[in-house]
Amino acid sequence: MINKVDKIWMDGEFIPWDEANVHVLTHTLHYGLGVFEGIRCYQCEDGRSAVFRLKEHVDRLFDSAHICQIKIPYSREEISEATLETLRINGLKEAYIRPVVFIGDGEMGIYVKDYNVKTSIAAWAWGAYLGDEGISNGIRVKVSSFTRQHVNISMTKAKVCGSYVNSMMAKREAILAGYDEALLLDNEGYVSEGSGENIFIVKDGIVKTTPKGSVLTGITRDSVMTILANEGITVKEESFTRDELYIAEEAFFTGTAAEITPIREVDNRTIGTGKPGAITKKVQELYFQAVKGGREKYGHWLSYL
Ligand SMILES: *Cc1c(COP(=O)(O)O)cnc(C)c1O
C-alpha cells in the first residue's frame, strides 16, 4: 500500500491526494503512450533532504517525451521546482517521486492529432524496493521466459508506460516461481536487465555491465560507473551471456527504486560465495554515502529542498 500524503501536483497546481483523479477514457490508460520517472529524495547526514540527480531525471523525462512526440507543457525548470515543492508541501524528508506525463481524455483511437497532455508529480515514503533483506544479503533471480523489448519494437531509452507490460509479465513469473526478481535476455539471447534495474557482474576484478542497446540507461548505472571509475575501476560495457553471469564472482542490480541490490543466486546457481562481494559492498557504501551527502565529490548530484 502507498503511504498517502496531503497533496499531488497536477497540471500546475497542488490538489488533495484523493482528488488527483482522471477520467476513465484517459487515452494512456487504454493505449499506454505516456512517460514517467522514478526519483528518490534522501535525508542527508546533516538533517537536510536532497533529491538525487534531479537534473538527469528531468532531462530523461523530457527525452522520453521527445521520443514519444509528447510535448510537455512545462519547462524543465518548472518540473524541477514542482518536484521539490511536492516534497516540501508534504513535509517529506525521504521519498520516492513519480512524475508522469500522459494523454488525457477527449479523443479515442490510435491516432490522435493533438495530445491533451496531462502532467502530475506524486511523492510518498517508500523503502527498499527489493527489501532491506535483499539490500543486505542479496536476492534470488530467475532468467525470464519473456524477452526484453527489441530496440525497434518498443523504445528502450524511454520510460514509456506501456513498456512495463513486458516488465510486469517477467516479474510476476519470477515471483510466482519463488524468486525475488526477473532477469530478461535480449532478442539475441544476451543478458539485458531486470524488470526495472540494470545489472553489473564482477569476475577476476573486471566489472561489466550490459551495453546501452536493449537496456534503459539508468542514472544509477551511470552513478555506479562514475563511482567505480573514481576508485580506479573502469566498468566495461560489454555483452555477456547467462552462463557468464552464473560463473561471476559478484553480481548486483542498480536502479533508483532498487538502489544497489546484490544478487546471490541466479536460476538456482549460487553467485560467488552467495554473499555480497567486496566490490558490491564498496559500491553500496559509496552510493549510499553519495545520495546522503556524505561524499563531497558527488555533492553536485544533490538538489537540496
Ligand atoms: C528505471 C529503470 C531502470 C533504472 O534506471 P535508474 O535511472 O537507475 O532508476 C532500469 N531498467 C528499467 C527497465 C527501468 O525502467
Side-chain angles (χ1 to χ4, degrees):
M1 288 290 280
I2 295 181
N3 300 303
K4 278 191 199 179
V5 296
D6 279 353
K7 295 213 155 66
I8 289 179
W9 186 91
M10 221 174 162
D11 300 319
E13 54 184 320
F14 283 103
I15 54 173
W17 180 281
D18 288 327
E19 290 168 26
N21 303 316
V22 295
H23 195 272
V24 73
L25 291 184
T26 294
H27 200 273
T28 305
L29 182 62
H30 296 253
Y31 303 115
L33 191 80
V35 298
F36 68 92
E37 265 306 314
I39 315 174
R40 271 189 193 271
C41 169
Y42 290 91
Q43 183 158 29
C44 298
E45 286 154 13
D46 64 6
R48 293 187 292 166
S49 290
V51 176
F52 188 62
R53 303 196 73 175
L54 178 59
K55 181 182 184 301
E56 289 81 355
H57 282 284
V58 170
D59 282 346
R60 190 171 62 190
L61 182 70
F62 278 78
D63 284 348
S64 294
H66 177 75
I67 289 169
C68 294
Q69 297 185 297
I70 293 173
K71 201 185 165 312
I72 301 178
Y74 300 96
S75 67
R76 286 167 206 241
E77 292 67 36
E78 284 169 322
I79 295 296
S80 304
E81 193 42 49
T83 301
L84 296 170
E85 202 48 37
T86 302
L87 297 163
R88 292 185 196 117
I89 213 165
N90 288 302
L92 285 162
K93 292 267 177 211
E94 288 217 337
Y96 181 80
I97 308 149
R98 169 54 57 83
V100 59
V101 181
F102 58 99
I103 305 168
D105 59 313
E107 284 199 68
M108 262 298 143
I110 305 294
Y111 177 71
V112 172
K113 189 162 175 284
D114 297 306
Y115 294 153
N116 165 21
V117 181
K118 314 285 271 177
T119 313
S120 84
I121 304 170
W124 63 91
W126 201 8
Y129 178 66
L130 296 170
D132 292 324
E133 162 71 18
I135 294 263
S136 311
N137 300 321
I139 58 166
R140 296 178 60 244
V141 170
K142 180 189 185 322
V143 169
S144 187
S145 72
F146 295 94
T147 302
R148 166 73 181 160
Q149 321 268 13
H150 177 269
V151 293
N152 211 19
I153 290 178
S154 172
M155 299 296 101
T156 60
K157 296 298 163 278
K159 284 183 101 81
V160 180
C161 301
S163 301
Y164 291 82
V165 172
N166 175 244
S167 290
M168 288 181 70
M169 292 289 159
K171 176 120 193 178
R172 205 173 173 82
E173 176 190 60
I175 303 270
L176 291 176
Y179 298 83
D180 303 307
E181 183 55 286
L183 176 70
L184 292 92
L185 306 179
D186 67 19
N187 63 300
E188 290 181 72
Y190 293 99
V191 170
S192 179
E193 61 176 331
S195 65
E197 308 87 9
N198 295 117
I199 188 169
F200 286 73
I201 58 169
V202 183
K203 177 86 170 176
D204 299 327
I206 293 169
V207 187
K208 277 189 197 174
T209 190
T210 1
K212 290 193 179 102
S214 67
V215 307
L216 188 281
T217 39
I219 292 162
T220 319
R221 173 185 183 274
D222 177 75
S223 305
V224 166
M225 289 174 74
T226 305
I227 288 170
L228 283 173
N230 286 332
E231 298 302 301
I233 301 169
T234 312
V235 178
K236 279 194 181 174
E237 294 180 76
E238 193 181 282
S239 295
F240 54 90
T241 53
R242 66 196 284 176
D243 52 1
E244 192 173 341
L245 167 61
Y246 291 161
I247 56 172
E249 287 147 7
E250 302 183 33
F252 57 91
F253 273 140
T254 67
T256 299
E259 299 163 310
I260 315 293
T261 301
I263 297 171
R264 68 179 159 91
E265 208 180 288
V266 178
D267 296 344
N268 307 311
R269 284 135 177 112
T270 304
I271 302 301
T273 61
K275 298 210 158 56
I279 291 184
T280 306
K281 285 207 286 206
K282 188 76 198 161
V283 169
Q284 272 189 329
E285 185 192 327
L286 293 170
Y287 180 78
F288 284 118
Q289 284 172 351
V291 300
K292 293 181 179 186
R295 289 265 152 182
E296 211 173 308
K297 196 182 278 169
Y298 307 117
H300 61 284
W301 282 345
L302 306 182
S303 297
Y304 287 94
L305 296 197

